[in-house]
Amino acid sequence: MVRGNRFGSVHVLTEAIFEDPGIADGRFVVIYEEGFNEIDEKSLSRYWYLSEGSHFDHSPCVIDLLGILAIAEHFTLMPVGHVISEAATLSAEQGTLGLIPSALKRKRGWRPQDWVPLQYETANCETDRHRDLWEQTRERLLGDGLEQVLTLHKRP
């Protein structure tokens, strides 16, 4: 989302690219980037870790991730996926990843927004586990009063 020179992005760092969160494995890290100003035509950003010690084997972590992605999509924040090493995910968990912008720039991307089936509900979830995780995410968002996040809209 861009407002003047402000923007936001959600970065999902994983140890591999996965087509479906139901088959994903390993650790992951979620970072929110807020661009807030420019100096000499270069954006200035600040970063927040939105996860710590998250692992795909722990369903509540994946439900949190899918909820973050649904909220990001609702607010037109483009999620960006990055593949990083297992050592880098451990460093991120310990707060020793180093300069986050450098870590984000040198890693290849993938599309975590494809994991959030807002446009097609659960019918096209790749696996039964993905369908179950998405249903639990929907229930949690509704229970938290965030039903507007689940409304259908066109992706950018």
Side-chain angles (χ1 to χ4, degrees), residues 83-145:
V83 176
I84 61 174
S85 68
E86 182 179 352
T89 57
L90 287 169
S91 293
E93 285 180 12
Q94 297 164 356
T96 59
L97 183 60
L99 295 175
I100 293 173
S102 298
L104 298 178
K105 283 183 183 172
R106 59 189 151 98
K107 305 303 174 189
R108 69 177 192 242
W110 57 278
R111 297 174 42 91
Q113 63 269 33
D114 291 344
W115 288 2
V116 180
L118 291 181
Q119 300 299 320
Y120 52 81
E121 297 301 315
T122 59
N124 291 334
C125 288
E126 295 291 324
T127 62
D128 289 340
R129 182 163 189 260
H130 185 188
R131 193 172 355 277
D132 182 53
L133 290 165
W134 179 243
E135 282 301 322
Q136 290 181 58
T137 302
R138 285 178 46 82
E139 289 172 17
R140 180 163 180 199
L141 291 168
L142 290 170
D144 289 342

Side-chain angles (χ1 to χ4, degrees), residues 16-150:
I17 294 175
F18 301 101
E19 300 279 325
D20 175 330
I23 59 170
D25 189 22
R27 292 178 175 79
F28 66 89
V29 179
V30 182
I31 297 172
Y32 174 68
E33 175 185 4
E34 178 190 17
F36 61 91
N37 212 335
E38 285 186 2
I39 293 181
D40 294 330
E41 298 182 17
K42 288 192 174 192
S43 295
L44 297 178
S45 296
R46 55 185 147 230
Y47 300 87
W48 286 272
Y49 284 101
L50 300 182
S51 67
E52 181 180 337
S54 296
H55 200 283
F56 285 111
D57 289 343
H58 190 238
S59 292
C61 292
V62 183
I63 291 165
D64 284 347
L65 172 59
L66 293 175
I68 290 168
L69 293 173
I71 292 167
E73 180 170 316
H74 177 77
F75 287 105
T76 65
L77 298 173
M78 180 59 70
V80 180
H82 305 270
V83 176
I84 61 174
S85 68
E86 182 179 352
T89 57
L90 287 169
S91 293
E93 285 180 12
Q94 297 164 356
T96 59
L97 183 60
L99 295 175
I100 293 173
S102 298
L104 298 178
K105 283 183 183 172
R106 59 189 151 98
K107 305 303 174 189
R108 69 177 192 242
W110 57 278
R111 297 174 42 91
Q113 63 269 33
D114 291 344
W115 288 2
V116 180
L118 291 181
Q119 300 299 320
Y120 52 81
E121 297 301 315
T122 59
N124 291 334
C125 288
E126 295 291 324
T127 62
D128 289 340
R129 182 163 189 260
H130 185 188
R131 193 172 355 277
D132 182 53
L133 290 165
W134 179 243
E135 282 301 322
Q136 290 181 58
T137 302
R138 285 178 46 82
E139 289 172 17
R140 180 163 180 199
L141 291 168
L142 290 170
D144 289 342
L146 297 172
E147 56 277 345
Q148 71 274 16
V149 168
L150 298 170

